[in-house]
Amino acid sequence: MTVASVSLDLDNLWAYLKTHGDPAWERRPSFLSVATPRLLEIFGEHGLTTTVFVVGADAVRDDGAAAVAAIAEAGHEVGNHSFGHEPWLHRYSRAELEAEVARTEDAIVAAGAPRPVGFRGPGYSVTPELLDVLAQRGYSYDASTLPTWIGPLARFYHNRTAPSTSDSGELFGGFGKVRAPNRPYRWHNGVVELPVTTMPLLRVPIHGSYLLQLHEVSPALARGYFRMALRLCRWTGVAPSLLLHPTDVLGAAEAPGMEFFPGMAVPSARKVELLGWVLGVLRRHFEVVGTGAHVAALGAGLPVRDVGRLERSG
């Protein structure tokens, strides 16, 4: 059976509010104590070992460190999701990138998980300089690219719903991302790139928040959309790497201030039901593992891509 992967970006409430430009983020509100056990329970019910990308600024706080310990104890891989979760790593200097990666490694290890070998940039932000840092620090893979054309549309939605003081910059990248590969490949420095899978041919996202946005319109539409995505993956030979977030299982009352975020009108019980269905469908067609195990199963012979072809905004 073909290998597919599931990963979770453990973005916290404060990180969403920060990106949205809401000054309430400075109080560092958290929903990790609610989201983490709920997600681990769902993974356990499906017998899944996944990868959880952790933010360093959370791993150094008590609830975040407890989450990392619980994730590692359950057998899941812990990956590096930057320290400050700023989706504009493309603006960072080399020294800032090195500090961002290293501080998160230290926080993850201190919380009880092995040193990470996989990285995902917040907001799919990745640059040649970042990839060079990852290679020098011994990372085996990056999972930061989202090959889609909807970046500018997502940025427009962000700007329309965010406070006027929010600086979106090149957030979510440009239309040129549609040309990025939807299959794994190797950068010329040896780091493997495992893209977040988008629907083959159409190149539209298929991960949790997009399914939940469709679910608000029609649950049948969301399920039909995901079925079509998996059908196209099998037809085109794309082994999907599915991305999840804590908001995929949280209701609006559990994430105060996030009314702007897609899918937050869906009650938590329905979100849990939808996620369970998604994981069940995925498992019927693929052997589902974490991103690190997915990369390990790829073996040699991956196409090589020069980092000079990487879009600056990731």
Side-chain angles (χ1 to χ4, degrees):
M1 186 177 285
T2 304
V3 167
S5 55
V6 169
S7 62
L8 167 72
D9 287 0
L10 197 64
D11 303 340
N12 206 351
L13 178 55
W14 65 265
Y16 287 102
L17 299 181
K18 181 179 181 180
T19 301
H20 194 62
D22 187 337
W25 82 267
E26 296 179 6
R27 297 194 296 271
R28 299 281 177 166
S30 175
F31 49 42
L32 294 185
S33 62
V34 176
T36 304
R38 190 174 297 172
L39 286 157
L40 290 179
E41 181 179 2
I42 295 170
F43 295 153
E45 288 174 351
H46 286 270
L48 294 182
T49 301
T50 66
T51 298
V52 181
F53 290 95
V54 171
V55 176
D58 281 319
V60 297
R61 53 188 287 168
D62 290 344
D63 59 346
V68 171
I71 290 162
E73 185 177 355
H76 302 281
E77 178 190 14
V78 176
N80 189 326
H81 197 34
S82 80
F83 192 87
H85 197 275
E86 294 189 338
W88 36 84
L89 296 184
H90 46 282
R91 300 176 183 173
Y92 278 32
S93 68
R94 171 62 183 259
E96 289 171 328
L97 290 170
E98 289 176 342
E100 191 79 1
V101 173
R103 290 178 71 195
T104 307
E105 291 171 5
D106 292 343
I108 287 172
V109 171
R115 184 179 179 276
V117 297
F119 182 89
R120 176 172 287 140
Y124 318 106
S125 183
V126 62
T127 64
E129 291 82 6
L130 174 59
L131 290 168
D132 189 40
V133 169
L134 297 180
Q136 290 195 3
R137 298 191 67 82
Y139 280 68
S140 60
Y141 74 96
D142 175 74
S144 301
T145 59
L146 181 71
T148 184
W149 49 268
I150 73 160
L153 301 183
R155 185 162 59 249
F156 173 79
Y157 175 82
H158 168 87
N159 291 342
R160 187 168 62 87
T161 59
S164 59
T165 55
S166 177
D167 178 17
S168 66
E170 304 99 357
L171 194 62
F172 310 129
F175 288 114
K177 280 189 172 183
V178 74
R179 297 190 298 270
N182 205 18
R183 291 182 175 84
Y185 51 95
R186 193 181 301 276
W187 296 109
H188 78 275
N189 62 9
V191 176
V192 171
E193 185 67 37
L194 183 67
V196 176
T197 303
T198 56
M199 189 179 299
L201 305 181
L202 300 179
R203 291 300 186 98
V204 288
I206 61 174
H207 54 276
S209 56
Y210 292 88
L211 293 178
L212 287 167
Q213 187 76 352
L214 293 175
H215 191 282
E216 288 187 4
V217 178
S218 165
L221 176 61
R223 296 186 183 213
Y225 179 88
F226 190 70
R227 284 195 191 97
M228 181 173 70
L230 291 191
R231 191 174 298 118
L232 287 174
C233 283
R234 298 197 306 274
W235 181 55
T236 59
V238 172
S241 184
L242 181 67
L243 170 61
L244 304 175
H245 292 90
T247 50
D248 295 341
V249 298
L250 296 175
E254 296 167 317
M258 285 192 59
E259 296 79 10
F260 62 90
F261 197 75
M264 292 311 297
V266 180
S268 60
R270 290 188 181 178
K271 288 185 172 185
V272 169
E273 180 184 4
L274 178 63
L275 178 55
W277 177 86
V278 164
L279 295 176
V281 171
L282 188 65
R283 290 178 63 229
R284 283 200 291 273
H285 298 287
F286 300 93
E287 178 188 351
V288 182
V289 297
T291 49
H294 191 162
V295 169
L298 295 172
L302 289 176
V304 177
R305 197 163 191 248
D306 194 299
V307 294
R309 298 173 61 189
L310 181 66
E311 186 179 337
R312 288 289 302 179
S313 56

